[in-house]
């Protein structure tokens, strides 16, 4: 059983190792590429990354909070439908929203072209989309559900009540929102914003499509255009430092959320909207939903039909699809097994060291894929070299690379990044197994394995299923790790999308993108069924 | 390390596939559609199987480098001399003595040390909007830095190697200081931020956002096949000077290839008249082999004088060019 004891620590080491590899590159002497980056690009990268982060935080805060408030506190026709429909954009990977937005609104896109032809003007007043504002809008539309989900939870539990408190103090509704409800929900909103910030910092696909240079694209550029893995690692280490600061803030906030929770004693009555208020509320929701989900999906569908009717190679497409499905399934099983064992281990030995190990193991999701790709690639290829030398030395066997011919590299990177995704779902399922359940089972004559088989697994089943689904979809959408560490012939849907969008062939990227969106809908429907 | 544990460990992670005889493993940065037809033809002719993986060139080079002696790859195919040079520079390619190759491929389109060989030519040329520009207004790459083109120029992002090679060749021609001046002039003349791809640049010119752009010929071909009525035309620049900037997609044999003979056979096949047309025509490029004519559609764009400077310069000066474009603010 002592092996179990070690699992959380091994998982923590797995997360820390790539960080160590990357950070150690800072100790390496500054090459001339690095000096050039400091002189020319670094100020711009910091500037771009900073303003992008600020913009997306502002955008998601406004969208997420306002939508959460409207659907949590007020009543209007279609409220039930809209409140879950607003989660649908979660199924859209940001890079998909990005290329659809470019395809639609760009100077040569259908909207501007039609306008130019009908109005016969040069359309110089039309806002340019290929700029910082464009990236911010696209990412805000893709990421607001994180904030919406958490803020809505907070408002559902306290929104109405805080308004009553405010009214008793003689404040009107607007004052009540800003002075009572919003401050009370702040930890949740901030928690959502931290997730958004991590996604923004980690994003590679969206900024690459927009040619908006941030750290992730610079890491790529250093490696692929300047052929300097070292400069790429050095850039990655700066990004890790930024991410680390975000992690610290996020962990602090989480502690505050625990203290801010209030017990729900029955849902408060919602406030019925009247007349034009209904129009305004529904209009706002429909507008956001259209931009973030309906319009992109419709455009993808149109492009897919176009691509399908041209020269659609179904055999190749099935290849991408089966690779995506196989990889995501493998990753889901591997990650959920590791995480389940880890949680069991913490149950049995709930000491500080073990709990901290789990905490470290679950910060992997904050590590950007570009950073992880380098951090896993470097040590594993080194190990590979050592292994084959060892084989040749001891057994006189000459074989090719071992880890690299397999998908081990990719799976390890996924494991590091997505342990956190499954942790929450499995952990909350595990909390339902109280010690009294175990005691009751033992008093009925069950022991060790049979308790697990006959009592635990049935209780854990739905939590495990949810966790696997979440991991499955996340791995399917993941782009940089897959792109940089996949072995021979393991092209996935996400890789295909990257290849096609980097050449501006939006139509060719549509079918794989639509597939990802459909897969992304599964966890949303699961979530919906659970909450109903 | 304990021998027994080591053996056990190796048993568990035994690789699924080990290379068999008579097959060539290719790492290709050229997408599948552009290589598969040639490989099929080669297998049909020789019985040698070709396995391939496609990826972007940076990832492939990193992979080759990390795999070192153990690489399964026998051949690297990639577009742009800059990438081929980088692979040779990293010691990933092997010099090949082959009279077939030296006969089929002109000297300036292959490595002087025979580590890589161009297989198809693409010219990076000017395309202009026929409604807004008269061809006599155009002359050279350098002249696009002239203020008279202010707000009339569109360019693809500097991230793509095509522009890096073009600037690298300009550095070779004029020296760094003058090349930087030209790049700064281009940036000052941009009508819109640099674009993601050549096709977009062409569409922008056609839609009137800008008047002229620089693209690879096959992008022009693809777009005109789709929409023949667009007001676009090719202008061959620098005809009274050093000629049009050309580049290649090409290949080299990996240093640690295990099927070297079969791989050389494949490379020679790709430079021969049987494959040259196929290799160039699938992508509307020009064959490197002077004995072979380009596709009639490609020929319809007219004859041009190509820059005879050896493409190795594009590689040698690539990092210099990337840095120069950074300094010039060319995104």
């Amino acid at each position: 059983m002592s092996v179990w004891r070690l699992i959380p620590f091994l998982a923590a080491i797995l997360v820390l190792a790539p960080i160590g590899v990357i950070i150690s590159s800072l100790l390496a002497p500054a090459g001339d590429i690095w000096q050039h980056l400091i002189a020319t690009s670094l100020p711009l990268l910091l500037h771009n990354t900073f303003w992008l982060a600020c913009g997306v935080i502002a955008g998601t805060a406004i969208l997420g909070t306002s939508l959460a408030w409207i659907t949590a506190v007020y009543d209007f026709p279609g409220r039930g439908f809209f409140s879950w429909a607003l989660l649908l954009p979660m199924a859209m990977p940001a890079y998909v929203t990005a290329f659809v937005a470019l395809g639609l609104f760009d100077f040569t896109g259908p909207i501007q072209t039609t306008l130019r032809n009908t109005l016969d003007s040069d359309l110089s007043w039309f806002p340019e989309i290929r700029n910082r504002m464009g990236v911010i809008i696209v990412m805000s539309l893709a990421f607001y559900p994180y904030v919406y989900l958490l803020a809505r939870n907070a408002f559902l539990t306290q929104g109405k009540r805080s308004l009553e408190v405010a009214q008793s103090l003689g404040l009107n509704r607007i004052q009540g929102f800003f002075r009572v409800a919003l401050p009370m929900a702040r930890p949740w909103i901030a928690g959502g914003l931290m997730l958004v910030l991590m996604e923004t910092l980690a994003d590679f696909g969206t900024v690459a499509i927009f040619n908006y240079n941030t750290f992730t694209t610079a890491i790529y550029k250093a490696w692929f255009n300047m052929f300097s893995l070292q400069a790429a690692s050095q850039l990655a280490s700066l990004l890790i430092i930024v991410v680390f600061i975000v992690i610290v803030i996020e962990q602090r906030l989480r502690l505050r959320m625990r203290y801010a929770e209030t017990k729900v004693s029955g849902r408060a009555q919602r406030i019925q909207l009247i007349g034009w208020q209904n129009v305004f509320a529904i209009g706002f929701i429909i507008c956001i939903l259209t931009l973030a989900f309906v319009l992109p999906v419709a455009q993808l569908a149109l492009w897919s039909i176009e691509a399908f009717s041209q020269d659609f190679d179904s055999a190749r497409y099935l290849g991408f699809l089966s690779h995506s499905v196989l990889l995501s399934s493998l990753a889901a099983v591997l990650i959920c097994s590791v995480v389940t064992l880890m949680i069991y281990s913490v149950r049995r030995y709930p000491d500080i060291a073990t709990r901290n190990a789990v905490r470290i193991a679950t910060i992997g999701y904050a590590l950007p894929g570009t950073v992880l790709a380098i951090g896993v690639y470097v040590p594993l290829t080194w190990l590979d070299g050592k292994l084959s030398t060892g084989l040749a030395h001891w057994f006189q066997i000459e074989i090719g690379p071992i880890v690299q011919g397999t998908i081990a590299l990719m799976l390890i990177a996924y494991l590091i990044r997505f342990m956190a995704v499954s942790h929450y779902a499995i952990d909350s399922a595990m909390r339902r197994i109280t010690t009294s359940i175990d005691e009751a089972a033992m008093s009925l004559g069950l022991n060790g394995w049979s308790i697990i088989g006959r009592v635990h697994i049935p209780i854990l089943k739905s939590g495990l299923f949810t966790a696997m689904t979440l991991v499955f979809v996340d791995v399917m959408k993941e782009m940089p790790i897959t792109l940089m560490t996949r072995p021979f012939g393991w092209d996935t849907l996400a890789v295909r999308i990257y290849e096609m969008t980097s050449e501006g062939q939006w139509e060719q990227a549509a079918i794989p993108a639509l597939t990802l969106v459909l897969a992304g809908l599964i966890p949303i429907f699961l979530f919906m069924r659970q909450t109903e | 390390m304990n021998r027994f544990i080591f053996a056990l460990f190796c048993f568990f992670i035994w690789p699924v596939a080990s290379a068999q005889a008579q097959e060539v493993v290719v790492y290709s940065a050229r997408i599948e559609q552009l290589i598969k037809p040639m490989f099929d033809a080669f297998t049909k002719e020789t019985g040698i199987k070709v396995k391939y993986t496609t990826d972007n060139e940076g990832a492939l080079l990193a992979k080759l480098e990390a795999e070192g002696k153990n690489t399964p790859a026998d051949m690297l195919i990639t577009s742009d001399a800059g990438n081929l040079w980088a692979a040779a520079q990293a010691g990933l390619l092997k010099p090949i003595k082959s009279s077939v190759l030296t006969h089929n491929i002109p000297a300036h389109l292959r490595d002087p040390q025979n580590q890589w060989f161009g297989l198809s030519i693409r010219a990076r040329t000017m395309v202009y909007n026929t409604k807004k520009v008269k061809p006599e207004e155009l002359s050279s790459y350098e002249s696009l830095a002239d203020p008279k083109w202010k707000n009339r120029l569109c360019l693809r992002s500097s991230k793509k190697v095509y522009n890096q090679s073009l600037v690298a060749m300009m550095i070779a021609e004029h020296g760094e200081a003058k090349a930087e001046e030209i790049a700064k002039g281009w940036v000052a003349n941009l009508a819109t931020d640099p674009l993601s791809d050549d096709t977009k640049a062409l569409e922008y010119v056609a839609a009137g956002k800008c008047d002229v752009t620089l693209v690879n010929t096959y992008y022009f071909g693809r777009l005109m096949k789709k929409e023949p009525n667009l007001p676009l035309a090719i202008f061959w620049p620098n005809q009274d000077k050093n000629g049009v900037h050309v580049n290649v997609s090409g290949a080299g044999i990996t240093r640690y290839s295990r099927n070297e003979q079969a791989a050389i056979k494949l490379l020679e096949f790709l430079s021969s008249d049987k494959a040259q047309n196929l290799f160039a025509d699938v992508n509307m490029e020009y064959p490197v082999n002077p004995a072979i004519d380009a596709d009639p559609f490609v020929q319809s764009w007219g004859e041009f004088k190509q820059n005879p400077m050896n493409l190795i310069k594009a590689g040698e000066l690539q990092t210099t060019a990337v840095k120069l474009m950074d300094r010039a603010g060319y995104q």
Side-chain angles (χ1 to χ4, degrees):
Chain A
M1 278 321 213
S2 63
V3 177
W4 281 31
R5 179 102 186 74
L6 290 175
I7 283 175
F9 297 97
L10 291 175
I13 289 168
L14 206 57
V15 171
L16 292 174
I19 300 180
V21 167
I22 296 280
I23 294 284
S24 67
S25 72
L26 275 181
L27 305 173
D32 59 340
I33 301 269
W34 184 235
Q35 305 216 328
H36 163 81
L37 284 174
I38 290 173
T40 57
S41 324
L42 210 54
L44 181 75
L45 290 180
L46 285 165
H47 181 87
N48 273 355
T49 308
F50 176 79
W51 285 112
L52 176 67
C54 287
V56 177
I57 282 180
T60 50
I62 293 166
L63 279 183
T65 313
S66 58
L67 291 166
W69 181 249
I70 294 170
T71 55
V73 175
Y74 298 109
D75 208 355
F76 50 89
R79 183 191 53 78
F81 165 78
F82 284 127
S83 51
W84 74 258
L86 282 166
L87 290 173
L88 289 175
M90 272 194 151
M92 303 284 300
Y95 55 80
V96 172
T97 318
F99 83 77
V100 175
L102 271 188
L104 274 172
F105 294 101
D106 198 12
F107 183 79
T108 52
I111 291 176
Q112 288 209 54
T113 307
T114 313
L115 283 173
R116 262 199 308 276
N117 294 342
T118 48
L119 303 176
D120 207 30
S121 88
D122 64 350
L123 234 59
S124 49
W125 49 265
F126 200 93
E128 170 75 75
I129 183 172
R130 287 179 317 111
N131 56 20
R132 176 175 303 139
M133 205 58 214
V135 189
I136 288 173
I137 290 169
V138 163
M139 284 201 187
S140 299
L141 288 171
F143 296 151
Y144 82 81
Y146 291 106
V147 181
Y148 167 76
L149 202 62
L150 285 159
R152 191 161 181 270
N153 252 338
F155 291 144
L156 278 177
T157 51
Q158 346 153 321
K160 183 68 177 53
R161 212 159 292 108
S162 57
L163 273 192
E164 284 158 8
V165 171
Q167 271 169 337
S168 70
L169 295 169
L171 303 172
N172 65 22
R173 235 181 253 173
I174 292 176
Q175 289 170 315
F177 170 74
F178 281 107
R179 292 177 56 184
V180 185
L182 198 56
M184 278 176 80
R186 207 179 316 163
W188 279 269
I189 295 170
L193 288 176
M194 284 300 127
L195 289 176
V196 168
L197 185 53
M198 282 173 193
E199 290 283 351
T200 306
L201 290 173
D203 174 87
F204 167 76
T206 314
V207 287
I209 286 169
F210 269 87
N211 194 22
Y212 181 83
N213 296 324
T214 61
F215 273 101
T216 51
T217 54
I219 289 168
Y220 245 69
K221 182 173 169 175
W223 191 353
F224 298 146
N225 288 343
M226 296 182 168
F227 305 106
S228 171
L229 189 54
Q230 191 189 321
S233 308
Q234 285 168 320
L235 280 168
S237 60
L238 290 187
L239 182 54
I240 280 196
I241 291 167
V242 176
V243 166
F244 182 75
I245 295 167
V246 177
I247 293 172
V248 170
I249 298 173
E250 202 262 348
Q251 298 274 354
R252 289 259 157 110
L253 283 169
R254 225 185 263 195
L255 292 174
R256 293 214 0 229
M257 262 160 74
R258 224 161 282 164
Y259 296 122
E261 257 175 284
T262 53
K263 279 271 177 287
V264 194
S265 48
R267 284 279 157 86
Q269 272 294 305
R270 293 171 186 277
I271 301 165
Q272 187 66 47
L273 289 179
I274 37 173
W276 63 268
Q277 294 175 328
N278 280 320
V279 177
F280 178 78
I282 295 171
F284 177 52
I285 292 174
I286 287 181
C287 173
I288 298 298
L289 259 182
T290 306
L291 283 174
F293 189 77
V294 181
L295 195 64
V297 170
Q299 177 64 71
L300 284 177
L302 283 175
W303 276 335
S304 296
I305 292 166
E306 203 177 312
F308 200 84
S309 61
Q310 279 166 11
D311 49 352
F312 181 65
D313 186 343
S314 57
R316 287 188 64 218
Y317 170 75
L318 285 175
F320 301 135
L321 181 65
S322 61
H323 287 150
S324 275
V325 169
L326 189 59
L327 266 182
S328 306
S329 314
L330 280 172
V333 171
L334 168 78
I335 293 168
C336 292
S337 311
V338 170
V339 170
T340 309
L341 290 175
M342 194 162 77
I343 294 170
Y344 260 113
S345 174
V346 179
R347 258 173 81 93
R348 286 196 58 158
Y349 312 99
D351 53 85
I352 292 281
T354 314
R355 284 215 305 271
N356 280 336
V358 172
R359 193 168 294 168
I360 290 170
T362 53
I363 58 166
Y365 73 104
L367 297 177
T370 39
V371 172
L372 263 180
I374 298 174
V376 174
Y377 188 83
V378 172
L380 275 182
T381 43
W382 174 84
L383 182 77
D384 231 10
K386 284 270 173 273
L387 267 177
S388 38
T389 339
L391 276 176
H393 177 75
W394 276 314
F395 301 99
Q396 286 76 48
I397 305 171
E398 282 282 355
I399 57 160
I402 298 164
V403 182
Q404 300 211 0
T406 67
I407 48 173
L409 227 149
M410 239 191 308
L411 286 172
I412 290 171
Y414 292 150
L415 175 66
I416 295 169
R417 187 156 159 73
F418 296 123
M419 272 192 287
V421 173
S422 61
H423 182 266
Y424 179 77
I426 299 175
D427 192 45
S428 43
M430 195 72 97
R431 280 170 202 275
R432 293 214 301 268
I433 307 172
T434 56
T435 39
S436 53
I437 290 181
D438 283 354
E439 282 158 12
M442 280 196 235
S443 72
L444 292 171
L446 293 175
N447 60 10
W449 288 110
S450 56
I451 290 188
I452 290 177
R454 293 180 55 186
V455 181
H456 290 191
I457 288 182
I459 296 179
L460 289 177
K461 212 161 49 184
S462 76
L464 273 173
F465 180 68
T466 307
M468 282 197 185
T469 312
L470 288 174
V471 173
F472 181 91
V473 172
D474 264 347
V475 171
M476 218 167 168
K477 293 194 294 195
E478 204 288 330
M479 193 187 264
I481 293 175
T482 318
L483 209 55
M484 290 155 97
T485 61
R486 72 191 196 283
F488 233 51
W490 276 87
D491 285 8
T492 65
L493 295 169
V495 170
R496 174 74 176 170
I497 292 172
Y498 176 78
E499 282 188 344
M500 292 296 111
T501 51
S502 66
E503 287 293 332
Q505 300 184 358
W506 318 135
E507 299 87 354
Q508 296 297 324
I511 295 178
L514 202 56
T515 315
L516 288 185
V517 173
L518 292 175
L521 288 172
I522 301 166
I524 296 173
F525 286 125
L526 283 178
F527 178 80
M528 213 181 79
R529 280 212 350 236
Q530 266 184 1
T531 46
E532 281 173 3
Chain B
M1 200 190 269
N2 180 315
R3 241 178 106 143
F4 173 71
I5 291 181
F6 190 82
L8 204 67
F9 180 63
C10 292
F11 173 76
F12 276 114
I13 51 172
W14 197 257
V16 189
S18 58
Q20 304 155 338
Q22 287 307 293
E23 70 169 19
V24 182
V25 179
V26 179
Y27 282 7
S28 168
R30 244 169 109 90
I31 50 174
E32 190 175 26
Q33 290 109 299
L34 302 183
I35 50 173
K36 198 167 179 298
M38 281 68 81
F39 293 164
D40 290 345
F42 176 70
T43 306
K44 209 163 144 185
E45 180 163 319
T46 61
I48 300 171
K49 281 202 192 68
V50 182
K51 268 172 64 178
Y52 55 89
T53 192
T54 59
D55 203 322
N56 73 42
E57 56 278 358
L60 289 177
L61 294 196
K63 203 171 158 73
L64 273 175
E65 202 151 11
E67 286 164 352
K69 278 203 288 265
N70 300 316
T71 185
D74 302 302
M75 186 190 283
L76 174 72
I77 293 182
T78 175
S79 56
D80 207 281
N83 296 327
L84 290 160
W85 174 87
Q89 199 56 15
L92 303 174
L93 302 179
K94 184 184 269 178
I96 298 296
K97 276 206 175 64
S98 156
S99 55
V100 177
L101 293 172
T102 44
H103 174 262
N104 285 346
I105 303 167
H108 69 289
L109 302 175
R110 54 184 155 87
D111 177 34
Q113 292 169 348
N114 293 320
Q115 295 183 83
W116 50 263
F117 301 85
L119 292 170
S120 62
I121 300 173
R122 60 275 300 281
R124 196 153 186 80
T125 186
M126 281 183 201
V127 172
Y128 62 96
N129 183 318
T130 49
K131 289 181 189 160
K132 297 168 90 176
V133 179
K134 292 195 185 66
E136 40 277 17
E137 289 176 78
L138 297 159
S139 63
S140 65
Y141 299 107
E142 294 81 1
S143 70
L144 288 180
D146 189 307
K148 82 166 183 185
W149 295 104
K150 192 157 185 64
N151 290 331
R152 297 172 68 189
L153 177 66
C154 273
L155 289 175
R156 184 181 184 149
S157 140
S158 66
K159 283 202 184 76
K160 190 68 184 187
V161 71
Y162 306 149
N163 287 331
Q164 294 162 10
S165 292
L166 174 65
V167 172
M169 295 304 259
M170 281 194 340
I171 296 171
E173 195 78 37
H174 304 294
E176 223 177 317
K178 177 142 189 244
E180 187 169 342
E181 225 170 282
I182 295 164
K184 277 190 175 131
W186 287 354
V187 173
N189 289 341
L190 286 177
T192 182
D193 281 341
L195 296 145
S196 62
D197 58 286
D198 285 18
T199 309
K200 276 280 160 310
L202 289 167
E203 286 171 347
Y204 267 60
V205 173
K209 182 91 182 175
C210 33
D211 300 355
V212 63
T213 185
L214 297 173
V215 291
N216 285 358
T217 37
Y218 54 89
Y219 286 105
F220 174 78
R222 278 184 212 164
L223 187 64
M224 295 315 267
K225 273 243 160 99
K226 222 165 81 174
E227 302 179 64
N229 298 328
L230 289 176
L232 296 175
I234 280 186
F235 178 84
W236 301 113
N238 298 49
Q239 290 304 283
D240 51 354
K241 293 184 174 161
N242 49 352
V244 173
H245 166 69
V246 291
N247 209 316
V248 291
S249 63
I253 308 293
T254 61
R255 183 165 296 270
Y256 299 108
S257 161
R258 289 182 207 153
N259 307 301
E260 197 187 319
Q261 288 317 311
I264 292 175
K265 251 190 219 157
L266 174 58
L267 193 52
E268 288 175 343
F269 175 82
L270 292 175
S271 77
S272 71
D273 42 358
K274 287 189 204 80
Q276 268 293 288
N277 259 113
L278 212 45
F279 201 92
D281 295 355
V282 278
N283 198 28
M284 291 190 237
E285 289 178 71
Y286 296 88
V288 279
N289 190 330
I292 310 295
D293 280 332
D295 177 86
F297 180 58
V298 174
Q299 284 186 50
S300 71
W301 307 331
E303 300 265 317
F304 63 93
K305 176 177 123 190
Q306 42 172 296
N307 186 339
M309 191 186 292
N310 191 300
L311 281 178
I312 194 161
K313 287 282 173 226
E316 285 171 353
L317 294 164
Q318 189 180 345
T319 306
T320 315
V322 172
K323 288 180 178 176
L324 182 147
M325 291 193 278
D326 272 348
R327 285 199 303 275
Y330 180 1
Q331 293 285 329

